[in-house]
Amino acid sequence: MLAFMLATALAAPVGLRRLADVDAVDLGSAAKFAVLSKAGISTVPPSAITGDIGVSPISAAAITGFSLVKHSDETYSEAWQVTGKVYASDYTSPTPSEMTTAISDMEIAYNDAAGRTTSDETTVQSYADVKAGLIGGTTFTPGVYTWGTDILFPTDIYINGGPTDVFIFQTSGSVKAGSGAKIILLGGALAKNIVWQVAGFVDAGTTSHLEGIFLVKSFASFKTKSTLNGQVFAQTAVTLDSTTITLV
């Protein structure tokens, strides 16, 4: 039995020790949004977004490529590329105050994710600078991961855990997914429990597929036919190009 346990440990993916569960990041009122931005959301049609999108403090004029149709009460708009509602800071009350709160909650979530530390290894396992940020082909188990570099995956990566396991990926740089690269979930892991805290920007290459909640200090760019199961919250702009985003 001991020999089997040792062999299993040696064969384990990144995240060798499983300690207590990582606490989830609370999104507050931002949780209902698939895309949330402070500086604008643009698309090259046809994109397909399932979930609400919104901008604040910038106005609806910064939502471009969607052919917005304002609802009769002027609290939100609709768009054929969005299965959900479109909100902006200059719509009729109570939307402005609700958008201010959503943006504040987005920033609180970012700071929460960024502030997770390694100070108590009996409660949270953390892993630093895995593969110097060149993570293509890597399998991740639950925990908090941090990089002082960009995170790059030109090939697929794997996130392996159960439906209640939480993964937090922190970087002081940017996240760049190569063309066709995919984040693949294993073992029942769920996108809603995967958080990417990105101090730089996110660049999703053509036909790439991402999973998780992307809390981005700068901008997020989704190239042609890229897809995301999850959410993207950017403190500047979000650009889409025939992109599919599904709030899960």
Side-chain angles (χ1 to χ4, degrees), residues 50-63:
T50 301
D52 295 343
I53 70 173
V55 296
S56 181
I58 204 162
S59 71
I63 304 175

Side-chain angles (χ1 to χ4, degrees), residues 79-153:
W80 65 269
Q81 296 175 85
V82 181
T83 304
K85 297 178 180 179
V86 181
Y87 295 94
S89 63
D90 57 336
Y91 285 178
T92 300
S93 180
T95 298
S97 63
E98 290 176 348
M99 288 305 302
T100 297
T101 301
I103 291 294
S104 176
D105 288 347
M106 171 185 87
E107 294 174 330
I108 290 169
Y110 176 91
N111 291 331
D112 176 16
R116 300 299 179 94
T117 68
T118 65
S119 60
D120 185 0
E121 290 194 349
T122 65
T123 57
V124 175
Q125 180 62 59
S126 181
Y127 310 95
D129 294 314
V130 173
K131 295 186 176 180
L134 301 174
I135 62 170
T138 305
T139 298
F140 295 92
T141 57
V144 179
Y145 297 81
T146 186
W147 286 268
T149 62
D150 289 345
I151 299 173
L152 309 173
F153 52 102

Side-chain angles (χ1 to χ4, degrees), residues 1 30 68 101-102 122 130 132 150 158 163 178 180 184 187 248:
M1 177 61 73
L68 300 180
T101 301
T122 65
V130 173
D150 289 345
Y158 306 87
I184 298 173
V248 294

Side-chain angles (χ1 to χ4, degrees), residues 26-44:
D26 186 1
L27 301 180
S29 64
K32 75 172 187 175
F33 289 93
V35 184
L36 191 57
S37 167
K38 295 176 69 173
I41 304 168
S42 65
T43 181
V44 176

Side-chain angles (χ1 to χ4, degrees), residues 185 189-195 210-213 229-230 248:
L185 304 188
L190 298 177
K192 68 178 184 179
N193 297 327
I194 301 166
V195 174
L210 306 184
E211 297 269 354
I213 301 162
N229 285 338
V248 294

